[in-house]
Amino acid sequence: ANLKYEMKKVRGDRVGWFSGKEAGCESIRALITLTDYFVYLLARRVKELDESPLERQEAMVTCYPGGGSRYIKHCDNPNDNGRVLTCVFYCNVDWKGGSGGQLRVHSGDGKYRDIEPLPGRLVVFFSDKRVPHEVI
């Protein structure tokens, strides 16, 4: 089942969860398969991942429609809910600098790095408190 929700004070995107088995979602399924394989290869090289059970749930698909939409600073797994990695794939083919939608990743020393949502870019990071981030 595809669950959708909105939390306008926290995030300005549209969200849905997909297994890739839904009608018309063949591209999502292909992307899930490729991402799963990438995570498998990554886990073979990163000891912490190799020692963790990696099990993907449905893929979250989100769209930031512009107009200042954002997602406030957060961690995807602040309470040890089992999520180990977050994988973000950008498929917005018409993105231009200054359009918003950058992923801002915060470091422990108060600094941050902005990652542009370039088409075809895959960003992978730990989901716990080590990687607070936001969409600006």
Side-chain angles (χ1 to χ4, degrees):
N2 183 8
L3 174 66
K4 297 178 182 174
Y5 70 85
E6 292 183 8
M7 299 170 56
K8 292 184 187 232
K9 292 182 180 180
V10 174
R11 58 191 304 166
D13 57 341
R14 297 185 188 121
V15 181
W17 281 265
F18 298 87
S19 68
K21 297 175 184 172
E22 298 85 357
C25 292
E26 293 78 15
S27 295
I28 291 174
R29 181 76 212 141
L31 182 58
I32 288 170
T33 300
L34 289 171
T35 303
D36 285 351
Y37 184 63
F38 175 79
V39 169
Y40 164 76
L41 294 175
L42 186 64
R44 294 177 63 192
R45 290 172 172 74
V46 177
K47 185 177 181 181
E48 182 176 347
L49 296 176
D50 192 39
E51 296 171 349
S52 300
L54 296 176
E55 180 180 319
R56 181 191 39 76
Q57 302 297 318
E58 290 185 317
M60 183 176 91
V61 178
T62 184
C63 174
Y64 289 86
S69 61
R70 57 180 291 123
Y71 191 170
I72 64 171
K73 184 178 174 183
H74 67 284
C75 295
D76 291 339
N77 180 6
N79 302 313
D80 197 24
N81 66 12
R83 183 188 282 187
V84 177
L85 286 178
T86 296
C87 299
V88 180
F89 180 79
Y90 295 100
C91 53
N92 44 326
V93 296
D94 294 327
W95 186 82
K96 293 176 179 54
S99 298
Q102 292 92 339
L103 177 66
R104 177 168 286 172
V105 179
H106 295 268
S107 62
D109 58 4
K111 296 181 181 178
Y112 59 84
R113 179 173 180 174
D114 291 342
I115 301 170
E116 294 183 338
L118 299 176
R121 176 172 276 173
L122 176 65
V123 180
V124 179
F125 52 91
F126 284 105
S127 301
D128 59 17
K129 295 178 183 179
R130 290 177 283 187
V131 190
H133 58 282
E134 60 186 305
V135 178
I136 58 173

